[in-house]
Amino acid sequence: MHYVSTRGSAPALGFEDVTLAGLASDGGLYVPESWPSFSADQIRALSGLSYVETAVRVMAPFVAGSLNEEELRELCAAAYGRFSHDAVTPLVQLDHRHWLLELFHGPTLAFKDVALQLLGQLFERFLSRRDDHLTIVGATSGDTGSAAIDAVAGREKIDIFMLHPDGRVSDVQRRQMTTVLAPNVHNIAIDGSFDDAQALVKAMFNDADFARRFNLSAVNSINWARLMAQVVYYFYAAVRLGAPDRAIAFSVPTGNFGDVFAGYVAAKMGLPVAKLMVATNVNDILHRALAEGDYSQGQVVATATPSMDIQVSSNFERLLFDAGGRDGKALAEQMKGFEASKAMRLTNAQRDGASALFTSARVDADAMTMAMRWAYDAAGQVIDPHSAIGLAAARSIDLDPAVPVVTLATAHAAKFPTAVERATGIRPSLPSRVGDLFAREEAYAKLPGTFEAVTAYVAGRATPRG
Ligand SMILES: *Cc1c(COP(=O)(O)O)cnc(C)c1O
């Protein structure tokens, strides 16, 4: 499988190179040259398979040329062996129509583990093949950071520098990052928002000398391998609910557009997806873009769902590329315009391509609270605020009532105990697998949100290439 950049001028690369590179050298994101396609019989054959076997079948076409099936199975078994539920991503029924897909049974209690546990395995395999070293720099609105750190802590060939917006992640989220004291883990609290932190990371990648010197790589959802790993659970859930003989809708609490884009990929591969609901909080750039064609950046508002407090969704570029006719040169121009003016209109082709599959909803704090209460009252489920944004949107979906609607439950309620307690009166406790999080020592640097401060910090601690 070869991958091309959404901006049309970086060289096409194989899976191994794309995984290690993260961002393409022209500033674009990698997407497969063409979508692999599964027949109805191939999808039917997934029924009853374990999560790991499903993962091997769904991902095999994407890694072809870089990993054989046996290698892929080994890495999946290692990655998903660390989940606390046998089904890895179990489905829970809420009422006759609504389901939750629980994606939070990994080591750091959010769906990011599904992709990052695999990415950690892929990095290790590819770096030892090449005898190379990697410097991961990433920005996190909370959950990516802890999941990435867990996935690479203690690995010799990797240093990780994780930027989070100071004071804007929950205590559990921060501690899950800052209490990992492995020598290759470097936490940085930035004075600014998540978007500021993400812009700093992008600037480091755009500094070609710096990026080359330290062999920078990304674990943000711009990394294709992460999206690929997320495609698996759409198949796993849909097959359990009757695919390929029945279409399924998904509601996805959305920030960077990675998780829901994986649903789009599943649909492109032949999975019968009736609709993808893009559920946003009041930071609603995606809702405005999908409903009105207006992709213009607003001010980030801090909410009870920090992992969705985003006004620029990196992965949206992948949709604009694919739905808009895969014209990399034109998209490069469009994105350059957006980067300069912080606003752009979607083209008609992009709007039409997106509206076939996507719908969207903006969910405010009251609707989120109501959804948490409903899940508890109707089905005894204590859900986290992000999942509640998804569920509120799912319950407003305009669709044939015979279509099952699966809400992606993206975090464990115990990651956000205060908001959950406020809505339901129940204070969820941390599962035993995270141990004594609040007793452990923390270590992190606090830096101003400037390029100079952050690059100096990284350069002083990372391993330059020989
Ligand atoms: C990251 C995250 C999201 C948003 O996912 P994207 O792939 O960035 O759209 C939603 N909920 C939780 C709990 C998250 O950690």
Side-chain angles (χ1 to χ4, degrees):
M1 172 71 78
H2 276 86
Y3 292 83
V4 296
S5 165
T6 52
R7 299 201 188 175
S9 51
L13 298 177
F15 177 73
E16 178 173 336
D17 287 321
V18 162
T19 301
L20 293 174
L23 202 67
S25 59
D26 57 5
L29 308 181
Y30 279 110
V31 290
E33 204 164 44
S34 63
W35 301 115
S37 158
F38 280 42
S39 68
D41 282 342
Q42 282 174 301
I43 295 171
R44 203 169 286 115
L46 299 174
S47 100
L49 295 185
S50 69
Y51 190 88
V52 166
E53 276 311 309
T54 307
V56 170
R57 302 246 182 131
V58 171
M59 295 192 290
F62 294 111
V63 305
S66 295
L67 293 169
N68 64 35
E69 200 179 294
E70 222 15 77
E71 291 171 310
L72 179 59
R73 183 171 291 110
E74 216 177 276
L75 300 182
C76 289
Y80 299 120
R82 294 202 54 207
F83 280 61
S84 68
H85 197 295
D86 236 21
V88 181
T89 62
L91 270 171
V92 172
Q93 188 160 16
L94 294 177
D95 69 2
H96 67 284
R97 185 184 191 195
H98 288 280
W99 302 73
L100 287 178
L101 180 60
E102 293 186 343
L103 303 177
F104 50 72
H105 292 278
T108 72
L109 313 181
F111 87 95
K112 305 288 198 298
D113 286 324
V114 178
L116 284 162
Q117 286 294 321
L118 183 67
L119 191 62
Q121 298 289 335
L122 290 167
F123 276 155
E124 173 145 300
R125 176 66 57 111
F126 293 151
L127 289 171
S128 55
R129 266 184 196 172
R130 301 172 167 215
D131 193 24
D132 206 349
H133 187 281
L134 207 61
T135 303
I136 295 171
V137 287
T140 183
S141 53
D143 297 324
T144 297
S146 53
I149 287 168
D150 186 279
V152 305
R155 293 190 196 273
E156 247 171 53
K157 293 177 175 302
I158 300 175
D159 272 301
I160 183 165
F161 293 83
M162 189 52 65
L163 279 59
H164 70 266
D166 194 16
R168 301 202 197 182
V169 300
S170 78
D171 288 349
V172 173
Q173 288 179 316
R174 190 191 65 250
R175 286 186 156 272
Q176 281 184 319
M177 297 190 278
T178 58
T179 60
V180 179
L181 303 179
N184 68 328
V185 172
H186 312 272
N187 279 292
I188 303 171
I190 288 293
D191 186 11
S193 70
F194 168 72
D195 287 337
D196 297 332
Q198 182 158 264
L200 287 166
V201 169
K202 277 206 164 169
M204 279 189 265
F205 277 94
N206 288 340
D207 183 335
D209 288 338
F210 189 82
R212 209 172 308 115
R213 194 160 138 237
F214 293 107
N215 199 22
L216 292 196
S217 184
V219 292
N220 287 49
S221 53
I222 57 174
N223 191 304
W224 166 257
R226 273 187 61 177
L227 295 189
M228 174 190 77
Q230 291 168 200
V231 175
V232 174
Y233 48 69
Y234 286 90
F235 276 88
Y236 187 74
V239 164
R240 265 156 190 75
L241 294 177
D245 303 306
R246 182 156 75 144
I248 315 294
F250 292 91
S251 178
V252 186
T254 296
N256 233 341
F257 206 74
D259 207 6
V260 75
F261 187 76
Y264 174 85
V265 174
K268 288 284 164 186
M269 292 168 72
L271 191 71
V273 175
K275 213 70 189 169
L276 291 169
M277 165 62 85
V278 176
T280 74
N281 64 21
V282 296
N283 295 293
D284 63 350
I285 182 171
L286 286 169
H287 174 55
R288 283 183 284 115
L290 291 166
E292 296 153 29
D294 166 31
Y295 192 76
S296 61
Q297 193 178 345
Q299 282 294 320
V300 181
V301 176
T303 72
T305 48
S307 299
M308 299 161 67
D309 289 347
I310 286 172
Q311 281 285 358
V312 181
S313 297
S314 314
N315 281 294
F316 199 54
E317 181 168 340
R318 286 187 158 109
L319 178 69
L320 297 178
F321 177 72
D322 197 57
R326 292 195 160 229
D327 183 343
K329 291 255 156 19
L331 186 58
E333 281 304 308
Q334 196 181 2
M335 294 308 299
K336 214 189 290 165
F338 174 72
E339 278 153 21
S341 68
K342 304 294 174 205
M344 65 182 175
R345 297 290 310 172
L346 270 55
T347 67
N348 287 340
Q350 288 166 339
R351 287 190 74 173
D352 294 346
S355 65
L357 200 54
F358 291 96
T359 184
S360 63
R362 170 193 199 268
V363 178
D364 66 16
D366 285 343
M368 176 196 77
T369 300
M370 295 300 287
M372 282 162 101
R373 286 200 191 134
W374 181 79
Y376 187 65
D377 293 341
Q381 293 292 317
V382 178
I383 64 173
D384 104 287
H386 302 79
S387 309
I389 298 268
L391 183 59
R395 296 187 70 223
S396 75
I397 202 167
D398 180 16
L399 208 59
D400 176 351
V403 174
V405 185
V406 175
T407 296
L408 274 51
T410 50
H412 193 293
K415 263 194 134 158
F416 305 95
T418 308
V420 173
E421 186 173 22
R422 200 175 299 136
T424 63
I426 290 170
R427 191 166 181 90
S429 49
L430 283 170
S432 57
R433 68 183 181 280
V434 302
D436 57 345
L437 193 61
F438 280 86
R440 274 180 251 151
E441 183 192 339
E442 288 188 85
Y444 62 104
K446 282 192 189 209
L447 296 180
T450 65
F451 185 69
E452 292 67 33
V454 175
T455 48
Y457 188 86
V458 173
R461 288 160 183 81
T463 308
R465 263 179 152 171

